[in-house]
Amino acid sequence: GSTITVNISKGMGEGNVPNLVGKTEDELSDYLEAAGFKLGKVSSEPSDKAEGIVIRQSPKAGETADKGTAIDVVVSDGTLNEAVVPYLIGMSLSDAKAALAAAGLNCGKVTSDYSSAAEGEVIWQEYSSNTKLKKGTSVKLKVSAGPKPTEAPTTTEVPTEP
């Protein structure tokens, strides 16, 4: 005939899900643990963000969820932040600049040197074609100043004796 009192836990309670977007994958576990959550499934997809940066999460930031809930994240694989260097040798400087811009790259310092190539033609590029660089990287170029001028032979008059 004794009374037994049972207290049933409501769990760890609820909390607001923290914003993980923009954080690196490496810092997520500690950050979530401090907020009372845990890291769930991590997947990746193409993005213009740097590799390993969180671009999406579920549940979303600010939503209410039970403490201990696993938060799933999608991180950038970085592929849309890459640009492929085009082959520029033999192009005019204006065409080379246009090709770099189309690839998401910038034209860096342009120098010139004498060569057998036509004047104004690209004769050197800092990175080989098909090299992957971060978008916005500057690529140095060297253009031809045309053939090196030849020096005219000098003649010296030698006085002749009568």
Side-chain angles (χ1 to χ4, degrees):
S2 299
T3 302
I4 300 175
T5 304
V6 177
N7 291 321
I8 300 174
S9 171
K10 293 182 181 180
M12 294 172 37
E14 292 182 339
N16 287 332
V17 175
N19 184 10
L20 304 176
V21 174
K23 298 203 175 304
T24 64
E25 185 177 356
D26 295 340
E27 62 188 339
L28 293 180
S29 291
D30 291 340
Y31 188 78
L32 283 168
E33 186 179 318
F37 297 94
K38 64 183 181 181
L39 184 58
K41 179 181 169 195
V42 178
S43 58
S44 65
E45 69 180 39
S47 164
D48 62 352
K49 303 293 182 202
E51 184 177 358
I53 298 293
V54 176
I55 55 176
R56 216 171 37 255
Q57 71 182 70
S58 178
K60 293 181 179 176
E63 288 184 5
T64 303
D66 291 334
K67 294 283 187 168
T69 297
I71 310 298
D72 297 333
V73 296
V74 177
V75 297
S76 171
D77 69 3
T79 57
L80 299 181
N81 193 28
E82 292 178 345
V84 177
V85 177
Y87 185 75
L88 305 170
I89 307 300
M91 289 185 179
S92 69
L93 182 58
S94 62
D95 287 348
K97 285 180 176 181
L100 286 169
L105 298 166
N106 295 320
C107 182
K109 183 178 180 182
V110 178
T111 58
S112 64
D113 198 2
Y114 295 116
S115 83
S116 60
E119 188 174 342
E121 190 174 287
V122 175
I123 56 173
W124 175 84
Q125 63 188 69
E126 180 179 12
Y127 300 100
S128 299
S129 61
N130 296 321
T131 300
K132 291 181 182 177
L133 301 173
K134 182 179 177 184
K135 280 191 177 182
T137 299
S138 292
V139 178
K140 296 176 190 172
L141 301 175
K142 187 178 290 187
V143 296
S144 174
K148 187 172 185 173
T150 56
E151 292 184 30
T154 56
T155 57
T156 307
E157 284 190 34
V158 178
T160 56
E161 292 188 27

